Amino acid sequence: MSQHPLRTQIEDIVKLSDAEFDFVLGHFQENNFKKHQIVLHQGDYAHFDFFVIKGLMRVSRVDPDGKEHILQFGMENWWITDAEAFHHQTKSTLTVDCLEPTKTLSLTLENKEKLSKELPKMQTFFFKKTTNGFIALQKRILCFLSSNANDRYHNLLSLYPGLMQRVPKAMIASYLGVTRETLSRLTKVES
Amino acid sequence: MSQHPLRTQIEDIVKLSDAEFDFVLGHFQENNFKKHQIVLHQGDYAHFDFFVIKGLMRVSRVDPDGKEHILQFGMENWWITDAEAFHHQTKSTLTVDCLEPTKTLSLTLENKEKLSKELPKMQTFFFKKTTNGFIALQKRILCFLSSNANDRYHNLLSLYPGLMQRVPKAMIASYLGVTRETLSRLTKVES
DNA sequence: ACCTTCACAGGACATTTGTCAATGCTTTGA
DNA sequence: TCAAAGCATTGACAAATGTCCTGTGAAGGT
């Protein structure tokens, strides 16, 4: 029988009783967003960290030249927000929107901190998730340092199979830091 | 009067009594490394997270082609280690070495976890440091996505003034993800 | 003081990637 | 159903960056 996806993720790190999980869940609110809906506008405060139950979101920024850069995708079981705006309670420099109809569990910073205090296991959970996120970003940077566009593309393929079926190639290019024309040429050579 | 640099950093986030700080300090060991000394070899276990008291370290990786990529520098008051190897207690894929004679306070994972349990304020401290590190890495990735080598260079200049005086330009290039020739051309145009 | 190594600049050329424009195909919506 | 918009591909050319090479001066070790 299948468990709640959030519980599964938490119990990968710390064990919870049924009552504890219900308690945890009480700190979240559920949201349903439409495709293309902007969940966090640049310039607004980031009220929530979103845990994606179903759907697909992204965090992006448009630079002064009008070019869009995708910092992160968020599929099922991913956490997604503008980390800086959320944790520092400052105005967002990034945009979060939905590439598909999306259902989330949404957590305010206040509730995150409350939860961490009330249930120390949850602080451990959040800490490990953040540490793992840090490690993942370091790997992505190493990828930028040591790989060309082609290797980065294949790395992304192997890291998130299934992503290609869900997002347009132009967005993959934007995540990789190349133009869609360059990405198109790369995939062409495969033959 | 000047305080211990570690205490200053911790008290930016949580306040400590003298006794508490002594207690914290007891979990660290002091190390002195020579210039060029390798502190963590690729393939070894990462026994420590290093807090740099004085000196300059770096984390790097050489790729299969023999090219060296610098993931991070660590000047005074920075924490530096192979995060993945340290936190997962696995063999390191990165190398940590000293670009200058360096004095560190070194913390084992065991002591870090002990400290977090014994003094919850320290867990808060570590959590915030990790969160801020995560945010900094996101910014560096956005820089790779949206900036060319020249802009990345000037961004680095403004972020860490003083770094240029302490490390050879070839290493700056390696951190930026370009060749030294490219960096040389950039600095030339400034005139 | 001498030799070796390192750091840096620069030139010539190759490769990669970006830019701009044109095209065809699909999806969307009135 | 048709027009419009979105998405991907491709070609021609430009710009950025990498590669390989040389030369010069400074720094370090013996």
Side-chain angles (χ1 to χ4, degrees), chain A residues 33-34 36-48 50 57-62 81-82 85-86 90-98:
Chain A
F33 302 110
K34 287 179 284 192
H36 294 142
Q37 186 169 350
I38 298 181
V39 167
L40 172 62
H41 286 83
Q42 183 185 334
D44 286 359
Y45 288 95
H47 299 300
F48 300 104
F50 299 103
M57 306 171 91
R58 67 168 173 175
V59 188
S60 61
R61 189 178 70 184
V62 306
T81 190
D82 177 340
F86 178 73
T90 52
K91 287 181 183 174
S92 176
T93 59
L94 306 172
T95 300
V96 179
D97 62 353
C98 301

mmCIF file of all heavy atoms in Angstrom, chain A residues 33-34 36-48 50 57-62 81-82 85-86 90-98:
data_model
loop_
_atom_site.group_PDB
_atom_site.id
_atom_site.type_symbol
_atom_site.label_atom_id
_atom_site.label_comp_id
_atom_site.label_asym_id
_atom_site.label_seq_id
_atom_site.Cartn_x
_atom_site.Cartn_y
_atom_site.Cartn_z
ATOM 1 N N PHE A 33 -2.407 24.628 -8.601
ATOM 2 C CA PHE A 33 -2.112 25.699 -9.544
ATOM 3 C C PHE A 33 -2.378 25.238 -10.968
ATOM 4 O O PHE A 33 -2.244 24.050 -11.288
ATOM 5 C CB PHE A 33 -0.653 26.132 -9.414
ATOM 6 C CG PHE A 33 -0.276 26.610 -8.047
ATOM 7 C CD1 PHE A 33 0.576 25.855 -7.253
ATOM 8 C CD2 PHE A 33 -0.784 27.798 -7.537
ATOM 9 C CE1 PHE A 33 0.937 26.291 -5.986
ATOM 10 C CE2 PHE A 33 -0.432 28.239 -6.267
ATOM 11 C CZ PHE A 33 0.432 27.483 -5.487
ATOM 12 N N LYS A 34 -2.766 26.193 -11.795
ATOM 13 C CA LYS A 34 -3.009 25.884 -13.199
ATOM 14 C C LYS A 34 -1.716 25.926 -13.996
ATOM 15 O O LYS A 34 -0.742 26.540 -13.585
ATOM 16 C CB LYS A 34 -4.010 26.898 -13.779
ATOM 17 C CG LYS A 34 -5.426 26.685 -13.293
ATOM 18 C CD LYS A 34 -6.374 27.700 -13.869
ATOM 19 C CE LYS A 34 -6.232 29.050 -13.191
ATOM 20 N NZ LYS A 34 -7.324 29.992 -13.514
ATOM 21 N N HIS A 36 0.891 27.226 -16.404
ATOM 22 C CA HIS A 36 1.318 28.599 -16.706
ATOM 23 C C HIS A 36 1.097 29.577 -15.565
ATOM 24 O O HIS A 36 1.449 30.756 -15.687
ATOM 25 C CB HIS A 36 0.643 29.145 -17.976
ATOM 26 C CG HIS A 36 1.064 28.425 -19.216
ATOM 27 N ND1 HIS A 36 0.195 28.138 -20.244
ATOM 28 C CD2 HIS A 36 2.252 27.898 -19.574
ATOM 29 C CE1 HIS A 36 0.840 27.476 -21.183
ATOM 30 N NE2 HIS A 36 2.087 27.312 -20.808
ATOM 31 N N GLN A 37 0.509 29.097 -14.494
ATOM 32 C CA GLN A 37 0.265 30.023 -13.387
ATOM 33 C C GLN A 37 1.580 30.414 -12.723
ATOM 34 O O GLN A 37 2.444 29.570 -12.477
ATOM 35 C CB GLN A 37 -0.677 29.374 -12.362
ATOM 36 C CG GLN A 37 -1.075 30.348 -11.254
ATOM 37 C CD GLN A 37 -2.208 29.800 -10.391
ATOM 38 O OE1 GLN A 37 -2.836 28.777 -10.711
ATOM 39 N NE2 GLN A 37 -2.479 30.473 -9.286
ATOM 40 N N ILE A 38 1.714 31.703 -12.463
ATOM 41 C CA ILE A 38 2.904 32.182 -11.758
ATOM 42 C C ILE A 38 2.641 32.147 -10.269
ATOM 43 O O ILE A 38 1.694 32.765 -9.780
ATOM 44 C CB ILE A 38 3.279 33.602 -12.219
ATOM 45 C CG1 ILE A 38 3.618 33.586 -13.714
ATOM 46 C CG2 ILE A 38 4.457 34.128 -11.415
ATOM 47 C CD1 ILE A 38 4.023 34.932 -14.270
ATOM 48 N N VAL A 39 3.467 31.428 -9.587
ATOM 49 C CA VAL A 39 3.254 31.143 -8.174
ATOM 50 C C VAL A 39 4.025 32.137 -7.309
ATOM 51 O O VAL A 39 3.627 32.458 -6.196
ATOM 52 C CB VAL A 39 3.699 29.693 -7.897
ATOM 53 C CG1 VAL A 39 3.814 29.430 -6.424
ATOM 54 C CG2 VAL A 39 2.747 28.725 -8.577
ATOM 55 N N LEU A 40 5.129 32.592 -7.846
ATOM 56 C CA LEU A 40 5.897 33.634 -7.168
ATOM 57 C C LEU A 40 6.401 34.613 -8.217
ATOM 58 O O LEU A 40 7.169 34.242 -9.103
ATOM 59 C CB LEU A 40 7.088 33.024 -6.406
ATOM 60 C CG LEU A 40 8.079 34.029 -5.800
ATOM 61 C CD1 LEU A 40 7.416 34.912 -4.767
ATOM 62 C CD2 LEU A 40 9.294 33.309 -5.207
ATOM 63 N N HIS A 41 5.943 35.865 -8.109
ATOM 64 C CA HIS A 41 6.399 36.905 -9.030
ATOM 65 C C HIS A 41 7.688 37.526 -8.522
ATOM 66 O O HIS A 41 7.841 37.737 -7.318
ATOM 67 C CB HIS A 41 5.345 38.026 -9.160
ATOM 68 C CG HIS A 41 4.145 37.648 -9.956
ATOM 69 N ND1 HIS A 41 3.081 36.962 -9.420
ATOM 70 C CD2 HIS A 41 3.823 37.870 -11.252
ATOM 71 C CE1 HIS A 41 2.161 36.773 -10.354
ATOM 72 N NE2 HIS A 41 2.572 37.312 -11.470
ATOM 73 N N GLN A 42 8.547 37.827 -9.439
ATOM 74 C CA GLN A 42 9.740 38.594 -9.097
ATOM 75 C C GLN A 42 9.320 39.891 -8.406
ATOM 76 O O GLN A 42 8.414 40.575 -8.862
ATOM 77 C CB GLN A 42 10.506 38.899 -10.390
ATOM 78 C CG GLN A 42 11.799 39.635 -10.191
ATOM 79 C CD GLN A 42 12.432 40.001 -11.523
ATOM 80 O OE1 GLN A 42 12.193 39.346 -12.516
ATOM 81 N NE2 GLN A 42 13.232 41.041 -11.525
ATOM 82 N N GLY A 43 9.948 40.199 -7.288
ATOM 83 C CA GLY A 43 9.598 41.407 -6.549
ATOM 84 C C GLY A 43 8.657 41.157 -5.383
ATOM 85 O O GLY A 43 8.546 41.977 -4.485
ATOM 86 N N ASP A 44 7.978 40.014 -5.416
ATOM 87 C CA ASP A 44 7.099 39.665 -4.291
ATOM 88 C C ASP A 44 7.882 38.930 -3.203
ATOM 89 O O ASP A 44 8.992 38.467 -3.428
ATOM 90 C CB ASP A 44 5.964 38.744 -4.776
ATOM 91 C CG ASP A 44 4.919 39.511 -5.580
ATOM 92 O OD1 ASP A 44 5.068 40.733 -5.730
ATOM 93 O OD2 ASP A 44 3.966 38.872 -6.054
ATOM 94 N N TYR A 45 7.301 38.822 -2.049
ATOM 95 C CA TYR A 45 7.904 38.020 -0.994
ATOM 96 C C TYR A 45 7.589 36.542 -1.232
ATOM 97 O O TYR A 45 6.496 36.201 -1.692
ATOM 98 C CB TYR A 45 7.402 38.458 0.381
ATOM 99 C CG TYR A 45 7.973 39.798 0.788
ATOM 100 C CD1 TYR A 45 7.271 40.978 0.566
ATOM 101 C CD2 TYR A 45 9.240 39.879 1.372
ATOM 102 C CE1 TYR A 45 7.814 42.211 0.912
ATOM 103 C CE2 TYR A 45 9.784 41.104 1.731
ATOM 104 C CZ TYR A 45 9.073 42.260 1.495
ATOM 105 O OH TYR A 45 9.613 43.465 1.832
ATOM 106 N N ALA A 46 8.559 35.714 -0.909
ATOM 107 C CA ALA A 46 8.380 34.274 -1.095
ATOM 108 C C ALA A 46 7.758 33.693 0.173
ATOM 109 O O ALA A 46 8.459 33.403 1.138
ATOM 110 C CB ALA A 46 9.719 33.612 -1.397
ATOM 111 N N HIS A 47 6.452 33.552 0.152
ATOM 112 C CA HIS A 47 5.759 33.101 1.364
ATOM 113 C C HIS A 47 5.942 31.616 1.633
ATOM 114 O O HIS A 47 5.781 31.163 2.755
ATOM 115 C CB HIS A 47 4.275 33.435 1.255
ATOM 116 C CG HIS A 47 4.008 34.902 1.133
ATOM 117 N ND1 HIS A 47 4.394 35.790 2.115
ATOM 118 C CD2 HIS A 47 3.437 35.638 0.156
ATOM 119 C CE1 HIS A 47 4.058 37.020 1.744
ATOM 120 N NE2 HIS A 47 3.480 36.958 0.549
ATOM 121 N N PHE A 48 6.214 30.851 0.585
ATOM 122 C CA PHE A 48 6.203 29.393 0.745
ATOM 123 C C PHE A 48 7.414 28.688 0.148
ATOM 124 O O PHE A 48 8.007 29.147 -0.833
ATOM 125 C CB PHE A 48 4.960 28.806 0.054
ATOM 126 C CG PHE A 48 3.670 29.310 0.601
ATOM 127 C CD1 PHE A 48 2.931 30.263 -0.094
ATOM 128 C CD2 PHE A 48 3.185 28.834 1.819
ATOM 129 C CE1 PHE A 48 1.732 30.729 0.402
ATOM 130 C CE2 PHE A 48 1.979 29.295 2.329
ATOM 131 C CZ PHE A 48 1.251 30.252 1.615
ATOM 132 N N PHE A 50 7.657 25.106 -1.609
ATOM 133 C CA PHE A 50 6.661 24.191 -2.182
ATOM 134 C C PHE A 50 7.215 22.777 -2.313
ATOM 135 O O PHE A 50 8.295 22.581 -2.894
ATOM 136 C CB PHE A 50 6.233 24.677 -3.573
ATOM 137 C CG PHE A 50 5.612 26.024 -3.582
ATOM 138 C CD1 PHE A 50 6.325 27.137 -4.010
ATOM 139 C CD2 PHE A 50 4.294 26.195 -3.155
ATOM 140 C CE1 PHE A 50 5.747 28.395 -4.024
ATOM 141 C CE2 PHE A 50 3.708 27.449 -3.162
ATOM 142 C CZ PHE A 50 4.442 28.563 -3.598
ATOM 143 N N MET A 57 7.073 22.366 -11.844
ATOM 144 C CA MET A 57 7.302 23.799 -11.698
ATOM 145 C C MET A 57 8.729 24.128 -12.137
ATOM 146 O O MET A 57 9.525 23.245 -12.394
ATOM 147 C CB MET A 57 7.098 24.217 -10.235
ATOM 148 C CG MET A 57 5.753 23.816 -9.652
ATOM 149 S SD MET A 57 5.672 24.113 -7.870
ATOM 150 C CE MET A 57 5.014 25.774 -7.849
ATOM 151 N N ARG A 58 8.997 25.420 -12.159
ATOM 152 C CA ARG A 58 10.371 25.836 -12.435
ATOM 153 C C ARG A 58 10.662 27.160 -11.734
ATOM 154 O O ARG A 58 9.752 27.945 -11.457
ATOM 155 C CB ARG A 58 10.613 25.986 -13.936
ATOM 156 C CG ARG A 58 9.833 27.115 -14.509
ATOM 157 C CD ARG A 58 10.258 27.490 -15.911
ATOM 158 N NE ARG A 58 9.305 28.473 -16.402
ATOM 159 C CZ ARG A 58 9.397 29.121 -17.554
ATOM 160 N NH1 ARG A 58 10.400 28.848 -18.366
ATOM 161 N NH2 ARG A 58 8.506 30.007 -17.914
ATOM 162 N N VAL A 59 11.943 27.402 -11.484
ATOM 163 C CA VAL A 59 12.424 28.682 -10.971
ATOM 164 C C VAL A 59 13.290 29.301 -12.057
ATOM 165 O O VAL A 59 14.190 28.643 -12.575
ATOM 166 C CB VAL A 59 13.297 28.514 -9.715
ATOM 167 C CG1 VAL A 59 13.603 29.864 -9.104
ATOM 168 C CG2 VAL A 59 12.626 27.619 -8.712
ATOM 169 N N SER A 60 13.006 30.541 -12.396
ATOM 170 C CA SER A 60 13.759 31.157 -13.484
ATOM 171 C C SER A 60 13.979 32.643 -13.220
ATOM 172 O O SER A 60 13.386 33.226 -12.320
ATOM 173 C CB SER A 60 13.007 30.979 -14.799
ATOM 174 O OG SER A 60 11.750 31.608 -14.730
ATOM 175 N N ARG A 61 14.843 33.210 -14.033
ATOM 176 C CA ARG A 61 15.062 34.644 -13.980
ATOM 177 C C ARG A 61 15.250 35.165 -15.389
ATOM 178 O O ARG A 61 15.880 34.511 -16.214
ATOM 179 C CB ARG A 61 16.303 34.978 -13.153
ATOM 180 C CG ARG A 61 16.441 36.476 -12.878
ATOM 181 C CD ARG A 61 17.636 36.787 -12.029
ATOM 182 N NE ARG A 61 18.875 36.565 -12.751
ATOM 183 C CZ ARG A 61 20.077 36.685 -12.201
ATOM 184 N NH1 ARG A 61 20.183 36.960 -10.915
ATOM 185 N NH2 ARG A 61 21.166 36.490 -12.914
ATOM 186 N N VAL A 62 14.686 36.317 -15.678
ATOM 187 C CA VAL A 62 14.966 36.938 -16.969
ATOM 188 C C VAL A 62 16.009 38.018 -16.731
ATOM 189 O O VAL A 62 15.892 38.820 -15.808
ATOM 190 C CB VAL A 62 13.691 37.530 -17.628
ATOM 191 C CG1 VAL A 62 12.609 36.478 -17.731
ATOM 192 C CG2 VAL A 62 13.187 38.748 -16.911
ATOM 193 N N THR A 81 11.470 26.765 -4.460
ATOM 194 C CA THR A 81 11.143 28.145 -4.106
ATOM 195 C C THR A 81 12.338 29.021 -4.473
ATOM 196 O O THR A 81 13.342 28.518 -4.961
ATOM 197 C CB THR A 81 10.834 28.297 -2.601
ATOM 198 O OG1 THR A 81 10.305 29.592 -2.355
ATOM 199 C CG2 THR A 81 12.096 28.110 -1.750
ATOM 200 N N ASP A 82 12.234 30.298 -4.279
ATOM 201 C CA ASP A 82 13.400 31.176 -4.338
ATOM 202 C C ASP A 82 14.043 31.111 -2.959
ATOM 203 O O ASP A 82 13.578 31.758 -2.018
ATOM 204 C CB ASP A 82 12.977 32.606 -4.684
ATOM 205 C CG ASP A 82 14.166 33.579 -4.671
ATOM 206 O OD1 ASP A 82 15.197 33.261 -4.059
ATOM 207 O OD2 ASP A 82 14.036 34.651 -5.285
ATOM 208 N N ALA A 85 15.019 34.486 -1.160
ATOM 209 C CA ALA A 85 13.873 35.301 -0.746
ATOM 210 C C ALA A 85 13.104 34.628 0.385
ATOM 211 O O ALA A 85 12.633 35.286 1.316
ATOM 212 C CB ALA A 85 12.955 35.556 -1.936
ATOM 213 N N PHE A 86 12.987 33.325 0.310
ATOM 214 C CA PHE A 86 12.241 32.586 1.329
ATOM 215 C C PHE A 86 12.956 32.640 2.680
ATOM 216 O O PHE A 86 12.358 33.003 3.685
ATOM 217 C CB PHE A 86 12.047 31.135 0.876
ATOM 218 C CG PHE A 86 11.339 30.269 1.874
ATOM 219 C CD1 PHE A 86 9.973 30.408 2.085
ATOM 220 C CD2 PHE A 86 12.037 29.306 2.597
ATOM 221 C CE1 PHE A 86 9.306 29.599 3.011
ATOM 222 C CE2 PHE A 86 11.381 28.495 3.521
ATOM 223 C CZ PHE A 86 10.021 28.649 3.723
ATOM 224 N N THR A 90 13.096 38.283 1.984
ATOM 225 C CA THR A 90 13.306 39.477 1.164
ATOM 226 C C THR A 90 12.523 39.321 -0.136
ATOM 227 O O THR A 90 11.971 38.259 -0.418
ATOM 228 C CB THR A 90 14.798 39.644 0.830
ATOM 229 O OG1 THR A 90 15.281 38.415 0.267
ATOM 230 C CG2 THR A 90 15.601 39.945 2.081
ATOM 231 N N LYS A 91 12.506 40.369 -0.923
ATOM 232 C CA LYS A 91 11.757 40.309 -2.168
ATOM 233 C C LYS A 91 12.452 39.403 -3.166
ATOM 234 O O LYS A 91 13.686 39.402 -3.277
ATOM 235 C CB LYS A 91 11.602 41.713 -2.758
ATOM 236 C CG LYS A 91 10.605 42.547 -1.964
ATOM 237 C CD LYS A 91 10.427 43.934 -2.561
ATOM 238 C CE LYS A 91 9.468 44.759 -1.699
ATOM 239 N NZ LYS A 91 9.383 46.157 -2.161
ATOM 240 N N SER A 92 11.676 38.659 -3.895
ATOM 241 C CA SER A 92 12.221 37.659 -4.791
ATOM 242 C C SER A 92 12.861 38.279 -6.027
ATOM 243 O O SER A 92 12.359 39.250 -6.589
ATOM 244 C CB SER A 92 11.116 36.704 -5.218
ATOM 245 O OG SER A 92 11.606 35.787 -6.166
ATOM 246 N N THR A 93 13.978 37.700 -6.430
ATOM 247 C CA THR A 93 14.611 38.106 -7.684
ATOM 248 C C THR A 93 14.311 37.075 -8.770
ATOM 249 O O THR A 93 14.740 37.222 -9.907
ATOM 250 C CB THR A 93 16.138 38.193 -7.517
ATOM 251 O OG1 THR A 93 16.640 36.915 -7.113
ATOM 252 C CG2 THR A 93 16.500 39.215 -6.463
ATOM 253 N N LEU A 94 13.606 36.027 -8.378
ATOM 254 C CA LEU A 94 13.318 34.929 -9.290
ATOM 255 C C LEU A 94 11.816 34.763 -9.454
ATOM 256 O O LEU A 94 11.033 35.317 -8.686
ATOM 257 C CB LEU A 94 13.905 33.617 -8.748
ATOM 258 C CG LEU A 94 15.407 33.643 -8.414
ATOM 259 C CD1 LEU A 94 15.819 32.357 -7.709
ATOM 260 C CD2 LEU A 94 16.232 33.843 -9.676
ATOM 261 N N THR A 95 11.442 34.014 -10.474
ATOM 262 C CA THR A 95 10.043 33.713 -10.723
ATOM 263 C C THR A 95 9.825 32.214 -10.589
ATOM 264 O O THR A 95 10.641 31.423 -11.066
ATOM 265 C CB THR A 95 9.653 34.149 -12.144
ATOM 266 O OG1 THR A 95 9.849 35.551 -12.281
ATOM 267 C CG2 THR A 95 8.196 33.805 -12.446
ATOM 268 N N VAL A 96 8.749 31.831 -9.935
ATOM 269 C CA VAL A 96 8.376 30.416 -9.870
ATOM 270 C C VAL A 96 7.049 30.254 -10.594
ATOM 271 O O VAL A 96 6.084 30.960 -10.283
ATOM 272 C CB VAL A 96 8.228 29.926 -8.416
ATOM 273 C CG1 VAL A 96 7.817 28.462 -8.377
ATOM 274 C CG2 VAL A 96 9.516 30.134 -7.636
ATOM 275 N N ASP A 97 6.997 29.372 -11.576
ATOM 276 C CA ASP A 97 5.720 29.130 -12.247
ATOM 277 C C ASP A 97 5.542 27.651 -12.578
ATOM 278 O O ASP A 97 6.444 26.839 -12.362
ATOM 279 C CB ASP A 97 5.572 30.009 -13.496
ATOM 280 C CG ASP A 97 6.627 29.713 -14.538
ATOM 281 O OD1 ASP A 97 7.550 28.940 -14.255
ATOM 282 O OD2 ASP A 97 6.514 30.250 -15.658
ATOM 283 N N CYS A 98 4.384 27.331 -13.107
ATOM 284 C CA CYS A 98 4.015 25.935 -13.329
ATOM 285 C C CYS A 98 4.051 25.599 -14.816
ATOM 286 O O CYS A 98 3.436 26.290 -15.626
ATOM 287 C CB CYS A 98 2.614 25.659 -12.795
ATOM 288 S SG CYS A 98 2.446 26.004 -11.040
#
